[in-house]
Amino acid sequence: MAKTTNTTGRAPATWTQKALVGILGIAVLGSTLALTAQRRSDDYALLDPIIDVMALIRRYAAVAPEDDALQRAAIEGMLEELDDDYAVYVPPALEEAFNTGLTGEYVGIGAEVIARDTYLEIVTPLDDSPAFKAGLMTGDRVLEIDGEPTAGKSTDEAVDFIKGEPGSEVILTIERNGEISDITVERGNIVQRSVRGFAREADDASRWRYLIDRDRRIAYVRLGQFAPASFGELRDALRRVRAQQGDLGGLVLDLRFNPGGLLSTAIDMADLFIEDGVIVSTRGRAFDEEIAEAKEAGTLPDFPLIVMVNGSSASASEVLSGALVESDRAKVLGTRSFGKGSVQSVRPLSGAAAGAVLKLTEQLYYLPSGRSIQRLEGAAEWGVDPSPGFFVPMTDDQTRAMLNFRREQEIIRGAVQDEGASSDWSNPDWIESTASDLQLAQAMRAMRSRIDSGEWVPPSDAQLGYDPAVADEIARARLTRDRLLRELERIDRRVAALESADADAAANASSDRDLWADDVSVEDGELIVYDAQGNEVARLTIDNPNLERWLIDAGVRKAGGDQDNNNE
């Protein structure tokens, strides 16, 4: 385990659709968490008007409100004011689903399912799950669950029927190849594996193959999230390869599409590869700086290492890849990562809110160089960039083809996998053409060259004279801007058509947000701000001719009696 130091030695003082995005980008501080906020008199003073409003709504509102809805709206309103995209309030009713996303653990039979043609269908049983052991297979149509028909039920409704206590049994009536049979499955604790290889073992579909190039002893490991068990899974996978082939010749660690997870897991993983030095540091307004440092004990041998990232690699993925590249331990290949350098803590609420939790951004983390990877408004640098010469972008079509091929590798089809005689994962050309994975192909080419010659040969031109990752971000930003401009043009055409259809309606469609006439130029003019008593607060020179656009949503409106050509 990496050691963590505190610079002063002191201890640190809505569930909506957006909660499903980046839910694993969380650092849980310690094994248990307590609400540390102190209730002071000014806290209650802040709540006084909220209580008054709630009381008035309860008594006089034409439609009787639900207290739970009022409570959640008040909490979500406070979180919205924080401008924290990752702040989430999770009410007690949804805590179980939240914990499942956080830890990857739940009770069930362990199968991915989908509602198709009015019935529930097995997409794939999970590795070493009760569903897999009971013989459920991809494509099995589930007609009944304990005698309850699944026809017309949603996936969530059907899953609720399947869930139960560990050790209890559920009978699934399934249709396979036109034959109907009952399969009894014993429910158990399911831990979703986050470590995968490039393909499943032919004789044991619950196991992954990691040795992608046997001759050069190159291993490939794909990490889907940083869950509590992920570190042990990675360590066991590498031990298994070394037991089969001896010391590794090289490792390709795939962090693409990994949204993050537990910071402690990322630190432990970095410590596997780094002997000493800073891995990451965290700082926050209410916290002293804490520094996680690597230690020599338990460090793996110094074999060549490539880490693959893309724009969907975030949070803990960036901690791990950033620590490895800044310590000169690895090459990073792919495209610039997402840029989420904030640490969320999960804090349970108490009292009447017991059972609910609050996920809140409390700190930022910093790479060994001291640079934050957080993507800030107006920033030109964020995240983790590929090493020079290792920038390898993929088009949307290439990415879709790669993901479709990958999904086929995820499916467990039976006790014996039929991978096909034409598979040649050690061949970068086959990976690029058949597996449709240009980035993995280039990683394999670079790794083979490093092992064969002792030197890294960048897969792309390292002598460009500019940073291709920055050029890629500029191209993406320009594309977004062009799309918005095209949308504005479509809106302008729509407005023009409506105005030409009814001139009288257009003349009477003025808004109090139309602050002055369109033919008035305010550039180099003055904006004078008065308070409610008429006292001049500020006198500002106008440098932007498009000031009105910015004021429309700034909480201002024309005062009574003002004329359209008033420039103040």
Side-chain angles (χ1 to χ4, degrees):
M1 300 287 286
K3 62 179 180 179
T4 303
T5 59
N6 184 294
T7 55
T8 64
R10 297 197 308 270
T14 56
W15 190 261
T16 60
Q17 288 298 323
K18 79 170 185 177
L20 296 175
V21 181
I23 193 67
L24 293 171
I26 301 169
V28 178
L29 304 180
S31 58
T32 58
L33 291 168
L35 186 63
T36 58
Q38 296 180 352
R39 300 183 183 276
R40 302 184 302 271
S41 58
D42 53 343
D43 293 330
Y44 289 111
L46 176 68
L47 294 175
D48 282 345
I50 298 176
I51 295 172
D52 290 343
V53 169
M54 182 183 68
L56 292 172
I57 291 175
R58 277 176 164 177
R59 182 171 183 178
Y60 295 112
V63 179
E66 294 183 3
D67 285 351
D68 288 347
L70 288 178
Q71 183 186 66
R72 183 184 298 189
I75 294 172
E76 290 179 350
M78 287 188 284
L79 295 181
E80 186 71 25
E81 187 63 24
L82 292 177
D83 194 25
D84 178 359
D85 291 337
Y86 304 104
V88 177
Y89 167 69
V90 184
L94 296 175
E95 186 185 14
E96 179 182 354
F98 177 81
N99 289 332
T100 296
L102 178 62
T103 66
E105 300 182 12
Y106 61 96
V107 174
I109 65 171
E112 293 182 10
V113 296
I114 188 173
R116 179 175 291 168
D117 298 332
T118 75
Y119 284 97
L120 198 69
E121 184 174 308
I122 303 294
V123 176
T124 181
L126 302 181
D127 300 348
D128 199 29
S129 66
F132 176 73
K133 295 175 181 176
L136 287 173
M137 298 176 62
T138 296
D140 285 348
R141 176 178 287 189
V142 182
L143 304 181
E144 296 180 357
I145 303 172
D146 282 338
E148 181 73 24
T150 63
K153 286 185 170 57
S154 68
T155 302
D156 289 340
E157 289 173 332
V159 168
D160 285 340
F161 277 100
I162 294 176
K163 289 180 179 179
E165 294 297 321
S168 63
E169 293 182 343
V170 58
I171 300 175
L172 304 183
T173 302
I174 63 120
E175 178 185 2
R176 180 187 301 167
N177 298 326
E179 297 184 3
I180 298 176
S181 61
D182 289 340
I183 294 181
T184 300
V185 187
E186 182 178 310
R187 299 179 178 97
N189 292 304
I190 308 300
V191 179
Q192 300 180 54
R193 294 186 182 179
S194 53
V195 171
R196 294 178 171 86
F198 58 92
R200 294 187 182 275
E201 292 281 10
D203 59 349
D204 186 354
S206 67
R207 295 162 67 91
W208 284 94
R209 296 168 58 192
Y210 301 109
L211 196 63
I212 195 170
D213 187 328
R214 188 172 297 275
D215 293 338
R216 295 175 177 83
R217 305 190 312 280
I218 301 173
Y220 168 87
V221 174
R222 173 159 54 90
L223 184 65
Q225 66 186 52
F226 289 79
S230 300
F231 171 69
E233 291 180 32
L234 174 62
R235 183 181 54 195
D236 292 345
L238 297 180
R239 283 176 176 171
R240 179 178 155 197
V241 174
R242 295 174 69 193
Q244 294 173 342
Q245 292 294 121
D247 288 340
L248 287 175
L251 171 64
V252 177
L253 182 60
D254 192 347
L255 300 181
R256 294 174 299 174
F257 304 103
N258 185 321
L262 299 177
L263 180 61
S264 59
T265 301
I267 292 172
D268 289 342
M269 287 185 178
D271 195 31
L272 270 180
F273 303 101
I274 303 173
E275 286 189 355
D276 55 32
V278 174
I279 294 175
V280 67
S281 61
T282 57
R283 299 195 296 271
R285 183 173 62 89
F287 299 85
D288 301 310
E289 181 180 33
E290 292 194 4
I291 301 173
E293 297 178 322
K295 58 173 177 41
E296 185 176 357
T299 304
L300 295 173
D302 190 17
F303 47 75
L305 175 60
I306 290 178
V307 181
M308 295 201 296
V309 300
N310 63 8
S312 297
S313 305
S315 189
S317 295
E318 296 170 296
V319 169
L320 177 56
S321 57
L324 293 175
V325 71
E326 289 198 356
S327 63
D328 293 326
R329 180 61 186 86
K331 297 293 184 182
V332 174
L333 182 146
T335 57
R336 176 177 282 185
S337 62
F338 182 80
K340 181 184 180 296
S342 56
V343 180
Q344 282 75 51
S345 296
V346 179
R347 297 189 177 272
L349 304 186
S350 59
V357 297
L358 183 68
K359 181 166 75 78
L360 190 66
T361 299
E362 297 183 351
Q363 302 178 80
L364 296 181
Y365 48 65
Y366 299 82
L367 297 178
S369 63
R371 181 177 68 85
S372 171
I373 63 175
Q374 179 72 11
R375 183 172 184 169
L376 301 174
E377 185 70 29
E381 183 180 23
W382 63 84
V384 177
D385 283 345
S387 303
F390 287 75
F391 173 75
V392 181
M394 289 175 61
T395 66
D396 290 343
D397 288 341
Q398 289 173 322
T399 301
R400 277 192 291 270
M402 180 268 288
L403 291 176
N404 287 334
F405 190 89
R406 175 189 288 186
R407 290 189 188 98
E408 287 297 310
Q409 303 301 308
E410 298 280 341
I411 295 175
I412 298 178
R413 292 178 173 82
V416 177
Q417 296 290 103
D418 181 16
E419 188 185 345
S422 61
S423 298
D424 188 6
W425 283 98
S426 65
N427 183 352
D429 294 338
W430 182 89
I431 294 174
E432 181 176 348
S433 62
T434 304
S436 304
D437 195 339
L438 173 62
Q439 291 171 334
L440 178 55
Q442 294 289 51
M444 288 294 292
R445 292 184 180 112
M447 183 64 74
R448 290 169 61 150
S449 175
R450 169 65 175 79
I451 293 172
D452 293 346
S453 68
E455 300 290 336
W456 286 109
V457 177
S460 60
D461 189 354
Q463 308 299 323
L464 294 174
Y466 63 87
D467 189 337
V470 175
D472 182 60
E473 290 296 337
I474 292 173
R476 292 176 182 273
R478 285 175 175 171
L479 178 61
T480 301
R481 180 193 62 190
D482 292 344
R483 286 171 176 167
L484 291 173
L485 290 175
R486 286 194 293 271
E487 181 62 24
L488 287 174
E489 290 175 359
R490 284 193 286 268
I491 293 174
D492 286 341
R493 289 195 296 270
R494 190 180 307 129
V495 170
L498 290 170
E499 290 176 342
S500 63
D502 193 334
D504 291 337
N508 289 279
S510 60
S511 168
D512 61 355
R513 297 301 178 93
D514 188 8
L515 303 179
W516 51 75
D518 294 340
D519 58 354
V520 173
S521 175
V522 298
E523 189 172 14
D524 296 327
E526 284 190 336
L527 178 68
I528 304 175
V529 181
Y530 300 94
D531 63 18
Q533 288 71 42
N535 302 311
E536 183 177 316
V537 175
R539 186 178 294 264
L540 310 173
T541 299
I542 302 173
D543 294 327
N544 190 338
N546 300 314
L547 176 64
E548 186 182 27
R549 294 182 186 176
W550 296 95
L551 291 178
I552 286 176
D553 293 317
V556 301
R557 57 184 171 80
K558 290 191 295 185
D562 282 358
Q563 301 299 313
D564 284 344
N565 63 351
N566 188 344
N567 293 345
E568 294 186 357

